[in-house]
Amino acid sequence: MSKTNRGSLTVLDIKSIANKKGVELPFFTARVQAGFPSPGDDYVESNLDLNQLLIKNPSATFFVKVEGESMSDAGITTGDTLIVDRALEAKDKNIVIASINGELTVKRVWIANGKVFLKPENNDFSPIEITEEMDFDIWGVVTYVIHKV
Amino acid sequence: MRDYIALIDCNNFYASCERVFDPHLKNKPVVVLSNNDGCIIARSNEAKTLGIKMGEPYFKCKNLIKQENVKVFSSNYTLYADMSNRVMNIVKEHFVNTEVYSIDEAFISFPSENLSEIENRFIKLRDKIAKWTGIPVSIGVAPTKTLAKVASKIAKKNSGVFSLFDKTTRNKILKELPIGSVWGIGRRLNKRFIRLGISNAYQLSTMDHKHVKDLTNINILRTAIELGGIKCIDIDSQPSNKKQITTSRAFGKTVTDIKFLEEAVSVYVSRAAEKLRIQNSKCSIITVALSTNRFDEKNTHKFLFMTESLESSTSSTQELISIAIKLLKRIFHEGFMYKKAHIFLSGLEDSKFKQYSFKDNIKDIKQQDKLMKAFDKINKTFGSDTMKYANTGISRDWFMKRERRSNRYTTNWNEILKINL
């Protein structure tokens, strides 16, 4: 992770979101003093919290770092961080983390003619058909990509 | 409406945590080692089948491990604690009255009118925990904590959920349960009961109450009554603060130099002081101890210690370090091969109700409290040891051996799971 990410405090700490209870109070900046208080004080609302936006189920959410180009057309490339929610049921067209014979991979679920495929998002790669003999598990559903621009 | 008790127990917890992040380990034997890679402290079912024993020193089963290609991990408590929190939070979302009993067990108390719906409810909970966190759990349900513990063991061998309400079934199970496997019966009591001809749990449950109490103590009487299906031990959903805080760990190698010991003691005191502040306590007694290797056959085992009572209780890392170093210098004896250092903090009181003495400089104490608060906040936000006292050393080459630790997948950005697309 880049330095800026490390600097953004609680936002990135899974443990602290899981434990957080109650509402964080906004921080009032203006001191009580003789003179005019800041006219903004009455309008202070809580801070924006990325966790709130990106993480629905903290106990089931994990982060994964990826390398490779097989998902580049879906906007997932080397160095990106994925947010993975294990609580979600994987559905057709979802991007998932799956394990095939013990190997973890990121692909799109594709159901066609009663068959299940894991589809890469890059024409240089071909889809994998999931068959009975494979040791196949869905590890989690990818909900967001953190991509440095 | 009656209240019932369930025990949620994570299966082979540490080994299961390792498996979540490496599907290759599925159906393979996995073991986890204690601090310093000393003994086996967790085994997957496959490792149990191979005959690897709980608590067995690693060097003793090294050959078997190699032969059978068992995956070995150093303990990764950061990961286990986080995975435990996840499991416990899911349980707490469903049941208000939850007691986190250990890193991998939680008791819950819940009302129910309808016995038949209970099992379904817990099958759903088990499946949810497995899906959300990847951790398999067993759940035992019964009228009492002691019986829930029995039920959870049976659950582990069966489908994962077992309820124990029916009296005939209960008696049958208790007759087959060795007395030493009952919750709360330790090794010594086990021996005593066996000598008295009490070898199974059923016998204890039907003994005369007064007789039990005369033979043992009130706690074992409670256990006996609970085995009979009557609740005596309540759910403790408000964990009470610890009365003593201990940090005691072996070094990665034996240490003879006091410089290293000073670093180690400073690190252990820092940890202990952090634990102290987490529960908002201050301590008034500190003990520092050093011990040599217990397994060394050439030299006798040494345990050196010294205690100091403080005039004014404190939770300040810097104050505690300076006292600990002073004690260390007094007990240190040149020429011994030290293997372990221990810090005990006791005489704890709530920070809010600190008794000030006349000699106390209240302003200094308040300032020190503020400093520690800032210190803890920085370390909580940026990771532990971002800020530390210089006494705790930079290289720390005496530090624990953890040669096979897996990544801290859930708490450290540099160690999160990596996948090749």
Side-chain angles (χ1 to χ4, degrees), chain B residues 143-307:
Chain B
T144 71
K145 270 183 163 179
T146 310
L147 285 172
K149 197 90 183 178
V150 175
S152 81
K153 276 187 195 154
I154 299 167
K156 201 156 277 188
K157 290 189 190 118
N158 296 301
S159 63
V161 178
F162 186 80
S163 55
L164 189 51
F165 297 117
D166 172 60
K167 205 170 168 184
T168 334
T169 321
R170 187 215 300 157
N171 289 344
K172 191 170 160 274
I173 287 167
L174 292 186
K175 275 176 192 161
E176 285 161 16
L177 186 70
I179 190 83
S181 306
V182 174
W183 185 45
I185 310 274
R187 207 182 300 167
R188 212 180 293 169
L189 263 174
N190 180 33
K191 272 191 191 156
R192 177 132 51 107
F193 275 130
I194 285 175
R195 230 183 294 129
L196 292 164
I198 301 153
S199 58
N200 66 54
Y202 178 74
Q203 284 173 291
L204 178 60
S205 76
T206 50
M207 267 170 82
D208 175 57
H209 290 174
K210 194 172 171 305
H211 190 46
V212 178
K213 207 180 149 195
D214 289 346
L215 277 175
T216 57
N217 57 49
I218 183 77
N219 290 325
I220 303 303
L221 175 58
R222 286 201 185 107
T223 303
I225 298 172
E226 285 226 324
L227 285 172
I230 295 162
K231 203 189 297 173
C232 299
I233 307 170
D234 259 331
I235 288 281
D236 187 4
S237 49
Q238 225 66 47
S240 54
N241 277 342
K242 291 201 185 77
K243 297 201 172 68
Q244 179 179 299
I245 285 170
T246 309
T247 307
S248 155
R249 275 180 225 153
F251 312 131
K253 54 181 185 190
T254 48
V255 169
T256 49
D257 187 350
I258 191 157
K259 279 272 157 321
F260 287 124
L261 291 172
E262 280 181 23
E263 274 185 25
V265 163
S266 304
V267 171
Y268 297 0
V269 171
S270 301
R271 287 282 163 278
E274 272 164 27
K275 289 187 209 166
L276 197 60
R277 295 194 294 269
I278 285 172
Q279 63 169 43
N280 282 316
S281 302
K282 287 176 185 281
C283 73
S284 51
I285 300 169
I286 173 169
T287 304
V288 176
L290 292 174
S291 51
T292 58
N293 195 347
R294 251 185 325 136
F295 299 110
D296 182 353
E297 280 155 14
K298 276 175 273 164
N299 300 298
T300 48
H301 176 229
K302 301 275 190 318
F303 186 85
L304 313 166
F305 69 98
M306 191 171 270
T307 298

Side-chain angles (χ1 to χ4, degrees), chain A residues 1 6 9 12-15 18-19 57-71 76 81 86-89 97 99 101-107 135 137 139, chain B residues 19-24 26-27 78 81-83 85-87 89-90 92-93 130-135 380-383 386 409-414 416-421:
Chain A
M1 276 277 108
R6 237 180 107 72
L9 314 184
L12 297 170
D13 182 356
I14 288 203
K15 255 176 87 180
N19 294 338
N57 305 300
S59 303
T61 299
F62 295 86
F63 297 101
V64 170
K65 190 143 193 142
V66 294
E67 208 178 294
E69 296 309 318
S70 72
M71 294 297 285
I76 300 174
T81 301
R86 289 181 55 110
L88 302 176
E89 274 328 311
I97 312 274
S99 87
N101 302 328
E103 210 65 55
L104 286 171
T105 184
V106 183
K107 296 285 177 291
D135 181 12
D137 273 316
W139 196 90
Chain B
R19 266 191 184 154
V20 172
F21 300 93
D22 186 356
H24 284 293
K26 197 170 141 188
N27 303 326
T78 317
D82 180 66
M83 293 304 283
N85 278 337
R86 290 165 183 262
V87 171
N89 283 332
I90 295 170
K92 285 180 197 162
E93 270 170 35
K131 179 163 174 19
W132 284 41
T133 65
I135 301 293
K380 188 169 180 245
T381 312
F382 296 99
T386 303
Y409 297 106
T410 57
T411 52
N412 188 308
W413 284 109
N414 296 316
I416 61 173
L417 190 60
K418 289 190 181 63
I419 297 181
N420 279 317
L421 290 175

Side-chain angles (χ1 to χ4, degrees), chain B residues 248-416:
Chain B
S248 155
R249 275 180 225 153
F251 312 131
K253 54 181 185 190
T254 48
V255 169
T256 49
D257 187 350
I258 191 157
K259 279 272 157 321
F260 287 124
L261 291 172
E262 280 181 23
E263 274 185 25
V265 163
S266 304
V267 171
Y268 297 0
V269 171
S270 301
R271 287 282 163 278
E274 272 164 27
K275 289 187 209 166
L276 197 60
R277 295 194 294 269
I278 285 172
Q279 63 169 43
N280 282 316
S281 302
K282 287 176 185 281
C283 73
S284 51
I285 300 169
I286 173 169
T287 304
V288 176
L290 292 174
S291 51
T292 58
N293 195 347
R294 251 185 325 136
F295 299 110
D296 182 353
E297 280 155 14
K298 276 175 273 164
N299 300 298
T300 48
H301 176 229
K302 301 275 190 318
F303 186 85
L304 313 166
F305 69 98
M306 191 171 270
T307 298
E308 179 156 318
S309 321
L310 318 177
E311 277 183 22
S312 172
S313 66
T314 183
S315 59
S316 149
T317 301
Q318 99 192 29
E319 244 174 82
L320 289 167
I321 286 180
S322 72
I323 302 163
I325 298 285
K326 192 180 75 189
L327 295 175
L328 170 72
K329 282 180 175 156
R330 282 199 220 141
I331 58 174
F332 176 75
H333 191 288
E334 199 84 49
F336 289 166
M337 312 275 277
Y338 297 102
K339 185 66 188 166
K340 209 168 177 180
H342 321 250
I343 303 295
F344 307 96
L345 303 180
S346 53
L348 306 192
E349 63 178 6
D350 193 319
S351 298
K352 269 184 287 183
F353 307 116
K354 176 182 162 51
Q355 286 293 318
Y356 290 98
S357 74
F358 285 116
K359 283 192 209 153
D360 280 340
N361 181 337
I362 293 179
K363 205 178 139 207
D364 279 359
I365 291 173
K366 291 254 147 93
Q367 204 133 38
Q368 196 56 229
D369 282 350
K370 262 194 198 157
L371 177 66
M372 286 299 114
K373 216 171 231 170
F375 183 87
D376 290 338
K377 196 161 183 194
I378 287 169
N379 283 334
K380 188 169 180 245
T381 312
F382 296 99
S384 62
D385 276 344
T386 303
M387 191 179 237
K388 59 190 178 195
Y389 281 86
N391 312 44
T392 60
I394 309 294
S395 70
R396 295 188 180 177
D397 42 10
W398 47 269
F399 210 69
M400 276 201 276
K401 250 198 300 194
R402 273 190 193 146
E403 282 162 2
R404 299 148 181 275
R405 203 205 69 203
S406 56
N407 282 349
R408 290 165 294 180
Y409 297 106
T410 57
T411 52
N412 188 308
W413 284 109
N414 296 316
E415 298 183 17
I416 61 173

